[in-house]
Amino acid sequence: MALQLILHDLSNKGTCFCLIFTDPNFKEPITNVTAPVGREAILSCVVQDLAGYKVAWLRVDTQTILTIASHVITKNHRIAVSHSDHRTWFLHIREVKESDRGWYMCQINTDPMKSQIGYLEVVVPPNILDYPTSTDMVVPEGSNVSLHCAATGSPKPSITWRREDGQFILLGNGMKNMSVDGPNFNITKVNRLHMGSYLCIASNGVPPSVSKRIMLIVQFPPMISVQDQLVGAVVGQQLTLQCQSEAYPKSINYWTRDKDEIVPQGGKYEPILLDNAYKVHMKLTINSVSPSDFGSYKCVSRNSLGDTDGTINVYPITSSSNSTGSNTKYKGKLRHNLGNDIFEGNQDMLKERDLKLRGRKETNGNEEDDYDDSGAASNGNSFILVLVLVTFTVYLHHHPQLRTLHPA
């Protein structure tokens, strides 16, 4: 008890000196504490008027005395005690374990004893259990798949599934989501689009969240698609044939000719394969196409589940620009020369005729009538003459045997 001296004035009896004893009390309740595993937890107990009394810390569930005043009683090396002016007493628990979770008592050794309790919550980051959690899976296309993820932690972790590549997860009925919640992830009639790495992510608000990578491999026989099955080429050009192949396990891919002969690599043939997961882009480049390169080509894809091929036929085409250009040039030149010969041969005749008409005009003195009549006649005669010459020239062109006359 705390001892207090009080001076009290009693009527008619003089002054009395009285001693009053005050018991210590708790000034405030113990605040509950939450601490992650491996960290330090500190519980505090605030006492007033302690005087000569002592404060002790106990573990409630085991009735174990941990500390008395400034002394540690337990043999647990992780326990310590400190105080602030004998008013606030701190219980230190270092490197907290899950087993430290529970109720702790702050006690004052009065008679009767006074005490109060506080709770230590120990939180545990999530941890994914290896044994019950699914591992990498290899399944045939069209089968049903069930992935499972098990995790521990406090509070109990929640499970989320995501694709590692960030793409949508394909669900039934054409639905797709970025994530799927729950420890079990089921896929009905799995197909090649489901192939990839999935992350099982466990989180409970206590950092850090953890994840496990599960690879889903879908096996299926090869499938080939050909965009252009008929390809034309000009002799001398560079030609590239293309096919798209899909298969898993990875396929062997190659090109063959008409009699299933494998197209050799090198020289004028350059086969190229571009891999992307289970897809292969097949290319065959033919440098400087020759007549022997026309025919049927096959892109072949083969794995342990089967094989398939796609056919591309290469046919010759003529260069329309070259053939048309030469014909046009030849015909144009022939027509141009023919026209020049005709008109060049008759221009002199027309000039001579015109001069004669002009001379007659000056002699007769009837300028306008004679010149107009003569011009009209000249124009008419010239037109007839040109027409006859053109007709005769065309006739000779189609009957070359008439060009040379032999004596009788």
Side-chain angles (χ1 to χ4, degrees):
M1 294 182 182
L3 179 62
Q4 293 183 351
L5 179 61
I6 299 177
L7 181 61
H8 185 63
D9 184 12
L10 299 177
S11 300
N12 302 322
K13 293 184 178 180
T15 300
C16 174
F17 293 92
C18 303
L19 294 175
I20 300 176
F21 294 92
T22 303
D23 287 341
N25 285 301
F26 297 107
K27 188 176 182 179
E28 58 188 53
I30 298 175
T31 302
N32 295 335
V33 174
T34 299
V37 167
R39 302 291 182 86
E40 182 181 17
I42 302 177
L43 290 90
S44 60
C45 180
V46 182
V47 180
Q48 63 180 1
D49 303 325
L50 184 60
Y53 291 95
K54 295 181 180 180
V55 174
W57 283 98
L58 296 84
R59 178 75 185 264
V60 174
D61 55 353
T62 60
Q63 293 296 309
T64 303
I65 299 175
L66 302 176
T67 67
I68 296 178
S70 298
H71 303 286
V72 177
I73 305 302
T74 180
K75 293 182 179 181
N76 187 344
H77 68 280
R78 297 183 297 108
I79 301 296
V81 63
S82 64
H83 63 87
S84 174
D85 298 330
H86 291 81
R87 285 176 55 82
T88 304
W89 293 82
F90 300 100
L91 176 66
H92 300 262
I93 307 174
R94 295 185 294 267
E95 299 175 8
V96 169
K97 298 180 180 179
E98 279 194 85
S99 58
D100 295 326
R101 182 187 294 113
W103 291 98
Y104 289 81
M105 177 183 290
C106 175
Q107 185 181 95
I108 304 175
N109 63 338
T110 55
D111 187 16
M113 177 267 296
K114 294 182 179 181
S115 65
Q116 62 178 357
I117 59 175
Y119 190 81
L120 172 62
E121 175 62 58
V122 179
V123 294
V124 184
N127 178 50
I128 295 177
L129 303 176
D130 290 332
Y131 177 70
T133 298
S134 301
T135 56
D136 293 348
M137 301 182 69
V138 180
V139 297
E141 192 170 40
S143 61
N144 297 331
V145 175
S146 180
L147 303 179
H148 181 70
C149 185
T152 60
S154 181
K156 186 178 180 180
S158 59
I159 304 297
T160 302
W161 296 88
R162 294 181 182 274
R163 285 192 65 124
E164 188 178 42
D165 56 12
Q167 296 183 12
F168 284 98
I169 295 177
L170 301 180
L171 307 174
N173 301 323
M175 301 293 292
K176 57 184 180 181
N177 281 329
M178 289 301 300
S179 62
V180 174
D181 296 328
N184 297 313
F185 174 34
N186 300 316
I187 305 175
T188 303
K189 293 184 179 180
V190 68
N191 61 57
R192 64 197 68 183
L193 298 178
H194 290 107
M195 186 183 300
S197 297
Y198 291 83
L199 296 177
C200 156
I201 304 171
S203 58
N204 64 350
V206 182
S209 297
V210 293
S211 64
K212 182 177 181 179
R213 180 176 181 268
I214 301 172
M215 182 69 183
L216 177 61
I217 299 173
V218 181
Q219 291 188 331
F220 55 94
M223 180 187 74
I224 280 184
S225 60
V226 180
Q227 184 174 0
D228 299 316
Q229 295 181 325
L230 195 60
V231 178
V234 178
V235 172
Q237 81 169 83
Q238 184 183 74
L239 179 65
T240 299
L241 308 180
Q242 302 186 62
C243 292
Q244 297 286 344
S245 171
E246 296 183 6
Y248 203 90
K250 285 192 173 183
S251 56
I252 299 173
N253 301 279
Y254 56 90
W255 293 85
T256 64
R257 286 295 306 271
D258 304 290
K259 298 180 180 179
D260 292 333
E261 297 177 355
I262 296 178
V263 176
Q265 184 171 1
K268 70 185 304 181
Y269 299 106
E270 297 180 10
I272 299 174
L273 300 179
L274 303 176
D275 291 343
N276 180 16
Y278 58 86
K279 298 180 181 180
V280 177
H281 187 185
M282 301 176 62
K283 291 183 177 182
L284 177 63
T285 298
I286 307 173
N287 294 308
S288 186
V289 173
S290 63
S292 61
D293 295 321
F294 296 121
S296 178
Y297 292 79
K298 286 184 179 180
C299 46
V300 182
S301 182
R302 181 188 304 268
N303 71 2
S304 58
L305 301 178
D307 60 82
T308 188
D309 58 63
T311 302
I312 300 177
N313 291 305
V314 179
Y315 67 92
I317 59 176
T318 57
S319 177
S320 58
S321 60
N322 291 341
S323 60
T324 304
S326 61
N327 291 338
T328 303
K329 183 178 179 181
Y330 173 74
K331 292 180 179 179
K333 184 177 181 180
L334 179 61
R335 291 177 179 175
H336 179 267
N337 289 342
L338 181 61
N340 287 345
D341 291 344
I342 294 172
F343 286 102
E344 286 176 3
N346 290 284
Q347 280 178 355
D348 293 340
M349 294 175 62
L350 293 173
K351 290 179 180 178
E352 183 178 355
R353 175 69 175 174
D354 185 67
L355 290 174
K356 289 179 179 180
L357 291 173
R358 287 177 182 271
R360 190 196 312 173
K361 174 194 69 173
E362 294 174 356
T363 303
N364 297 334
N366 189 1
E367 297 180 2
E368 189 172 349
D369 291 342
D370 287 346
Y371 188 77
D372 289 342
D373 292 343
S374 299
S378 174
N379 290 340
N381 293 335
S382 297
F383 177 77
I384 294 172
L385 179 59
V386 169
L387 182 61
V388 170
L389 288 174
V390 170
T391 305
F392 182 72
T393 304
V394 173
Y395 184 80
L396 288 178
H397 178 71
H398 291 282
H399 299 80
Q401 67 275 13
L402 297 179
R403 295 181 185 179
T404 304
L405 299 178
H406 299 280

